[in-house]
Every structure is written in structure tokens, then in C-alpha cells.
Amino acid sequence: MKSSPSLKWQNRHLGSHITLSLWALVVLFPIWTMIVNSFKFKLDIYKDPFGLPKKWNFDSYGSVFRDSDFFMYFRNSLAVTVGSIILVLVLGSLASYAIVNWKNRQTRFIYLFFIAGMMLPLKIGSIKLLEMVKALGLLNSIWALFPIYIAMGLPIAVFVLTQFITDIPYELTEASVIDGASRLRIYAQIIIPMIQPALATVGIYNLVPFWNDLWFPLIFINNEESKTLLLGVTRLFGQYQTDWSKVLAVLTLSAIPVILLYLTMSRQFIKGLTAGAVKG
Amino acid sequence: MGKKLTVLTALALCLTMALPLAAGGSKDAAKKGSSGTVLTMGSWRADDVAGWTALLAEYKKATGVEIQFKPTNPPDYNATLRLQLESGTGPDLMFARSYDTGIDLFKNGYFADVSAIKGLKENFSEGNRAPWTTADGKAFAIPLFAVIQSVYYNKDIFAANGISVPKTWEEFLAACDKLKKAGITPIANGLADEWDINECFMMGILPNFVGGYKGRLEYETGKRAFNDANMVKAFQAMADLAKYCPDGYEAIGYNDSNALFATGKAAMYADGSWSLDTFKDMGANWGNFAFPAPAGAKAAICFHADAGLTMNAATKHPAEAKAFLEWLCTPEGATVAARYLPNGFYPMISANIKIEDAHSAELYGLIQGKDQDVRFCWPKLMSGDPSGYVLMNQGVIKAMKGQITAKQAADDFAAGLAKWYKPN
Amino acid sequence: MKNRKLGQYTWYCYLVPALFFYAVFMAWPLADSIRLSLYSASGPAGAGRTFVGFDNYIRLFTDPDTSARFWGAFGNTWYFFFINMVCQNVLAIVFALMLSERTMKGSRVYQTIIFIPVTLAILVTGYLWKLILNPQWGAIAQILTKLDLKELVKPWLGDERYALTTVALVSSWQWVGIPAMMFFAGLQNIPDELLEAAEIDGASKLGKILSIRLPLIKPVIGIVTILTFVNNFNAFDVVFAMENANGAPSYSTDLIGTLFYRVGIAGQHPVGIPNPGLGSAIATSTFIMLMAGVVGILGLTKSEK
């Protein structure tokens, strides 16, 4: 007779826990280093890089909270990142839906057209992009970043979402089509819920590059009000000297919203997955 | 739990969106409220925001013209500036790199011709103007500041080990030897960041080995070969120093070297005058001495023209920009500027500017009576392919690691340059 | 009849917005830069440059110095990809397999921990690991010294033999969370009935993995491989953060991404005069090679239904 699941040795997964805990140590040690050093004075970092500070330096965090500029940068990064991700997901899923369900030579070409964009870094088109942004009058504003990030995020969105939409069995949509439902309704009420894990994947995948991008804010934005967080942080990098405890303080703080956004999205991710499993 | 988390996140985000309205709003209003012309100045000295803002505030008080200092992250300055100039969004005034980098932007029409600026020819020597003058005599920037390459040394460690400031290269090596036997790391320099061993050490000692300014000219005009005995000696000198660098120096970077010297773990450190302020609060007695020349050779020092200031050829405020440049070419303007420049950045104007900081003045004193020259590769050897800078850099690194001999390093240097360099 | 025409019209509406942004803000600038690869570097942008045809490509593949750098970077990037596949992606599959077991406790916590490095700015990751690997005061050096193994302490980031592997391992450390997440999603999608049926048939844990779970996520493996491949060939930040744009030491960590940045965007330090024509040639050549690679991988890992 099989014993009840919770007592089976197999279900304790001892090997898994050991492996994962070891990896957790490998992950958390550098994080510990980052946090601990953000509380040290500059030279103390090198005297003892991994221990607790002997003299606690709260000034790094203090100056972040006192210097309202950092909240401004943070707000800009947040708006740009969240806004771009939402637009990438909406536009990308619409396009993927069309590509999967309207099969002809044009859409096949459009699919490859999108995929090709994954392979070239957008950086090399910087000169043309700068001219375009200037012509549109978007220079020095965060609105310059939206179209760039949308264009950057669409290839991976189309790539992943077409795969997931293809996997949706036709029987599910067939019933609604026979009922006479419009394509838009099928899209909104059936397709989107079914591809939630894919949407969350694409969202999470693009989250970090958008949040941590330095290059495009660097060349488009020069005035303080519109700077993003990482661009603002580079102000702390001098030509020869860098106050690392301040940099670490700012970047520790800036990792928190990203982790929060990740947790929110991954919750959707899990919800979608379990829903799919039950239906599947 | 899931819903709560989403709500919490949303609340946190909304709060942070609202904060800047409360805190930062007033600051921006103040900036926007200023009337009159506003110019922008680009630079790679993100470290000096405070100093320049104060200097420009004084200028505004005197003339009513507001100039905003907008530096860029240093490693990206060249690329960003180029992009901005190419698309017509460059600043009105900007820092100019010397020699080829600056000439290139001038040839492409982005820098204005400033030869006619009042006070430029009168108050700056030809040697000091040269880095920002084209071959046919057009000036494309006014000289702003220069830096000095020297050796920082820990006076306490020297005293404790009975070592005095070396007067010749041989004495220098002997001092290193004595320190190493006493268990102290003699030199803090490393190889990881590559540029520092090249600019702060190799090109710091080169004037001593090649005969200063006149010596360099002989290489450039082809009178001497780039791999002659002097050059080999210089590479050998660097190779000899490898054993006096810290353990694992191949992975020690510029910031690490700073830390080693500042925490007293290394006795000496070859660095530029820009680091004077870094060691201010070191807690030990320290000073500078010039790189000593080999016995019998004339002492020379590297006084390197680092930055010039110029105006955008397409600026919408040419009159105001020109006025600012002219102000900096007067002794009064230069004195005010010198007050706000950080220690270790020396004005290049011919007038006598008093330096207040003791260490800075001592370092400045080291150039008296010595032959002065800029860094060896800068004037003519940089912009070809392969660049003289890169050849020298890789040569020094490989020689120090013992992968090639000093003679091979010199030969590679000469062979690489021969691919494109025409003596002139 | 009417329905079909109406049908086609609405499909256009679905495609056009995405196509618009993509074509205007990505395809056009990139096409322009491919055009740029046929021009020489000198002169101001636009009208000032001269048309040189395939000169840039010829130089890239035949000039001894330039091609040495190109093929060096090419080889280094393949090695970088190899290490990433072996470390990052294998670890990701292993973690995903462990975490997607139905009875695994604490899965969410582990997942979040695995993902945290992804959220760090690469500048910080580079700095932290440089600190840990530092031969003078780094954690690894301190531990090895305490264990009396001082000879094993090497300047890893400064030694041509170890630098690239070290950088690749740090990159794996940072990014393992993303493929782990994707594999986890794929594994969760496997219907429980399949696994239960196998258990009843007496399959062992390893057997289940090899015969059911891995084969069913073959398409995800394909996606991850392609994404790793493409990201590695554009990788730049991790080398820049841990070494410099030259791929120190001695170009051993020079990747296609750093080569492109050095040639086409920033120019050689400290002169900083870029050669956009040659840079575009590098990018275009890389693009062609990538396309070939991606199509190949897509073919190999078509989904099993």
C-alpha cells in the first residue's frame, strides 16, 4: 500500500532543499555585501568588505531621502517601465493573435520581420533615433523612451506569445465563433486569460532591461526632471572616484520596486498556470 | 494574500509618485523662474558639479548670464557628445579633449574657431595652446586645466623604514626592494583597468627616459626609431616594477590601488594630481615626489594638458558664449576659476595664480626647473589604427606580466605605428 | 462574403499598431545602420560620408588587426555562450524541475531568491563580484588563505586563462532566474494525469524526468536557447562592469558586443572617435550569423505534440 503523500520520503525532497539552499547562499552573500557596504564609509569598504560596519554611515541613505531628485528619477523610471510593459503586452498580444489566426504569406513574413528585431541591438540605430526623437519634439522628455522600449520589447513579445497562442486548442474558440462572438470578444475573454503566464513571462523579461537601461536615457535626456533612476545614479560616478556606499544605497533601494513588480506579476503568472492546468 | 500584495504595491507606488510633488516641486520652480539667457555647458567632470555651479553662480552675479553645468557620466562623454552634436542637440559650451579627439570634432564643424578670442594669444604660451590648435594654426578651444603625473608616497612608512625620497631611478628601485624585504607592498598600482598603468606610470616616467619635449619631437619626426634603446629601457623599467606591485596586481583596479595607498597598505602610488583630494583625510603623512630619472639623465616631468573649453559652432547664444570664454582668458577670470577648480587641476594661463592648498602647491612646485611635456602618445600617435596608446598599453602590460621581453614590447610598438604613422 | 471582407479588415487593425512602432522605431533605424555599413567613417554624419561599398566588410574579414579582433571576439562569444548554456541554463532546468514538484514546500520563496540577482543593475553585480574575487581582500581569497590554500588565490579577472570563464559565471549567476522562470512555467503546464499515469506504471523520479517532463518542455528549451544565444551575442554590460570595453586582459574577454561598442559607438579609449561604418559592418555580419543560428535552433527544437 502506498503511504499518504506527506510522509513519503520522496515528498520531503531533501536533495532539492539542500541544493536550493546552497544556491540561496550563493545568491544572498553578494546581496549581503551590497547592503552591508551601503552603510559603510568609503574607505571602510576596502578595509573589511564583508563584515558589518564598524562605523555606521547612514548618510548615504539620508542623502537619497533628502535629495528629492532621486524620487523624481524613481517616478520617471516607474512610469516609463510600467507604461512600456503594458503597451508591449497589449500591442504584442493583438499582433500575435492576428499572426496565429490569419495565416498567409504576409503574416508569415511579418512574424519573421518581428523576430529579426531580437538579434540586433537597437543601440546601433542611435543616430537615426536621436534625429527622429528630436524631429518629434520629444527630446528631453520621458515620452522619448516609450516608443523605443515598445519597439525593443515587441520582438520577444511576438515570439513568445505566438508560441503560446498556437498552443491554445481551437475547440475552445470554435464554440464562441459559432455563437457569433466578435474576434475582439474572443480575444478579451478567452485568449488573454489563457496566455496569462506568457504575458507575465514577457512582462518580467522586459521589466529589468527597461528599468536598468542607461543608454537611451543618456542620449535623449539632459534635464533633471526627466532623468530615469539609473541615469541619475551615474551622477554619482566621478571620472576617477566613485562614492560606492552612496551608489550601493541608491541601487539597493532601486531593486525593491523591481522585486515588488516581479512579485505582483509572478502572482498572475502562477494564477494563470494553475488555471491552465485545471482546464488542460 | 495575493490581492493584499497587489494593493500594497499599488499604494507604495502611488505614494512615491506623490512625493516629488511635495519635495522637489519647489526646486524645479526656482530653476524655471530665472529670466534671461540660459546656456548649457557639457563636461565629463561629473565630480565637480558643486565647484562649477558655484563658479557659474559668481559669473551670473557679475554679468547676468546664466550657464548651467550639465556633466555626463565620464566614460560616455565622447560618445554622447558626438551623438548630440551630430543631431544638433549639443550644449552651448563644452569641455574639449586635447589633440586628435578635439581636432576631429573641429574638422566636422561642431566646435567654433576661437582663435580670435581676446586674451587667448596674449595670456597663454604657445606650448599651452598647442593641444587645442590645429596644424594650420586655428585654435578650437581655450586651455582650461592641466594635471601632473607624480608618485604619492606615505611619509610615515618611509620614516619608519629609513627611506628618503629617491633622486634617481636606481635609488627608486632600491627603495622598493627595501620596502618589499620589510614586508610592505612598495607600489599600489595594478593592471586590471589598463589605462592607469599606461597614463599614470609609463607615460609618467617616459619624459625621463626619452629626453622630455625635445626628445619626443625626435621620435615624431623620425630622427629616432620608436624601438630605440631608450624606449626599451623604459619598458624594462616597468617590467622591473612588476615584482613590487601588490599580490594579484593583475586584477587590482584603479579604485583598489587608491584604497591600498589610502589605507596604508602600500607605500607608494603613481597617480595623477587629480587624486590630491582623495587622500586628504588619509590619516597618515603623505607627499609627492617626481618620477626620478635614471642616473645621469636630465629630470623631466609630465605636465599634461587635460581639458579645454570651447563653444558650439551652432550655438544660439554666440555672443554670451564668447564672452564667457574671454572672461576665462583674463587673469581675473582665471583666478576666480582656479578657486573653484578642484585641487590638482592646474590653470594653464601665464599669469601667476596662487595655489592655496599645501599639498597642491607642493606638487605644483615639482615642475619647477624640470623639462615639461604632455603624455608621450597624445600629440600625434593616438588616432591611427592601431593606436599608439593601445600599443604602448598592451606592451607595458605584457612586459610586466613577463609574457614578452622589453625589447619585444618596443619592437611591437614600432611595428604597429609603422602601419600608419608618417613622421612629421 | 461580407463577413470575410470585414474579417480581413479587423485583422489589419490588430497588426498595425505593433507594426507601426516596430517599423518606425526599430526596423528603420536598423536598416539605416545597415546602409551605414557601406559608408566610410570620415566626415560628418549624413551627406559628408563617402560610399565605399563592401570595403568595411573586406577590412573586417581580411585586415590582420581588424579581423584578429573580430574573430577573437567571435570565438570568445561562442565560449561565453557555451558556459552560459552549461551553467545558467542547466542550473535553471534543475531548479525548475525541483521547484515544480507538486509537493515541494517553500517553492515561492526559492523562486524569489533565485530571481533577485536579475533585478540588480549590472554595474552593482560587477562591483560586488569584483570585490568578492579581489586577490587582496576578496571573500574567496580570505577563505582560501584561512584554509591554507593561498596558492589557489589567483587574480582571476586579470589572467587571460580565467577571466572569460569568471565573467561568464558571474553572468550566469545574474540571469539564471529568467530561464528558471520560463522552464518552471513550461513544467507546470504538464498535466498531472500524465505524471500520475507514469507513476502507476512504476516510473522512477529520474525516469519521469527523462521520458515525460524534459521532452514536453522541448519548445521552451528551444526558446531559452535562442534567447540565451541572442543575448550573449549582444552582451556588453557584464564585461564593461567587470573589466573594460577593451575586453581586458589582452582582449580575452572581448565579446562581439564590446567590440561593436568600442568600434562603432564609443571609439577606442581615450581618443573616442568611433567608426560607425565599420561598427555597422560588425553588427550586420553578426545579425546574419545570428539569423542562421536561430533558424537552425528553431528547426531542431520544433515542439512535440
Side-chain angles (χ1 to χ4, degrees), chain A residues 57-210:
Chain A
N57 173 18
F58 294 101
D59 198 50
S60 304
Y61 285 95
S63 68
V64 172
F65 288 109
R66 264 181 316 217
D67 185 358
S68 60
D69 277 353
F70 280 106
F71 283 110
M72 200 163 51
Y73 302 153
F74 174 80
R75 179 195 60 182
N76 290 336
S77 280
L78 199 63
V80 171
T81 307
V82 173
S84 303
I85 290 182
I86 292 177
L87 283 169
V88 164
L89 292 178
V90 169
L91 296 179
S93 57
L94 283 170
S96 305
Y97 182 46
I99 290 176
V100 172
N101 284 3
W102 187 25
K103 288 197 180 358
N104 56 35
R105 253 212 304 212
Q106 285 95 324
T107 51
R108 180 102 190 114
F109 169 74
I110 290 177
Y111 175 72
L112 288 173
F113 184 51
F114 272 111
I115 305 293
M118 284 198 305
M119 291 175 235
L120 278 174
L122 196 48
K123 255 190 202 172
I124 64 182
S126 298
I127 302 175
K128 192 97 219 145
L129 281 170
L130 195 51
E131 286 172 26
M132 280 199 288
V133 164
K134 182 171 162 230
L136 289 169
L138 292 176
L139 210 55
N140 269 327
S141 95
I142 59 174
W143 296 106
L145 296 171
F146 278 86
I148 310 286
Y149 291 158
I150 294 173
M152 255 172 49
L154 276 174
I156 176 76
V158 168
F159 182 54
V160 172
L161 293 175
T162 47
Q163 304 271 40
F164 271 76
I165 294 181
T166 313
D167 284 344
I168 295 177
Y170 185 58
E171 302 82 57
L172 283 166
T173 51
E174 205 177 14
S176 317
V177 170
I178 292 176
D179 277 349
S182 77
R183 236 173 239 128
L184 199 56
R185 257 183 85 199
I186 298 179
Y187 167 76
Q189 293 182 331
I190 301 184
I191 304 285
I192 292 292
M194 287 229 74
I195 59 172
Q196 258 181 334
L199 288 176
T201 307
V202 173
I204 295 176
Y205 188 87
N206 281 318
L207 168 66
V208 171
F210 292 173

Side-chain angles (χ1 to χ4, degrees), chain A residues 42-43 46-47 67-69 71-72 74-75 78-79 82 126-127 130-131 134 139 214-215 218-219 221-225 227 234-235 237-242 244 257 260-261 263-264 267-268, chain B residues 1-2 5-6 9 13 16-17 19-21 23-24 27-28 31-32 44-47 70 72-74 76 80 83-84 86-89 195 254-256 258-259 262-263 265 274-275 278 306:
Chain A
K42 199 163 69 147
L43 275 184
Y46 297 99
K47 288 199 191 134
D67 185 358
S68 60
D69 277 353
F71 283 110
M72 200 163 51
F74 174 80
R75 179 195 60 182
L78 199 63
V82 173
S126 298
I127 302 175
L130 195 51
E131 286 172 26
K134 182 171 162 230
L139 210 55
L214 179 59
W215 176 252
L218 184 65
I219 61 177
I221 298 177
N222 234 334
N223 60 338
E224 290 300 307
E225 303 91 70
K227 281 193 183 168
T234 60
R235 203 177 65 184
F237 284 85
Q239 184 182 12
Y240 298 111
Q241 294 302 321
T242 301
W244 275 103
L260 280 176
L261 280 169
L263 285 174
T264 317
R267 198 151 273 286
Q268 294 305 314
Chain B
M1 176 56 197
L5 184 62
T6 324
T9 316
L13 299 178
T16 44
M17 305 269 253
L19 264 167
L21 295 173
K27 223 204 231 176
D28 293 343
K31 271 199 212 145
K32 288 208 180 92
W44 62 80
R45 291 295 303 170
D47 327 51
K70 290 192 180 293
T72 314
N73 185 23
D76 295 312
T80 323
L83 266 173
Q84 289 176 333
E86 280 176 359
S87 67
T89 58
W195 67 268
Y254 180 73
N255 281 318
D256 301 326
N258 276 14
T263 54
K265 292 211 182 101
W274 56 77
S275 290
T278 317
D306 208 17

Side-chain angles (χ1 to χ4, degrees), chain A residues 11-28:
Chain A
N11 291 339
R12 295 285 182 78
H13 301 290
L14 199 59
S16 300
H17 278 285
I18 293 179
T19 316
L20 289 167
S21 301
L22 276 174
W23 183 253
L25 280 175
V26 174
V27 164
L28 293 175

Side-chain angles (χ1 to χ4, degrees), chain C residues 6-20:
Chain C
L6 191 62
Q8 283 202 318
Y9 174 69
T10 50
W11 281 136
Y12 268 127
C13 293
Y14 283 62
L15 284 170
V16 159
L19 267 180
F20 168 73

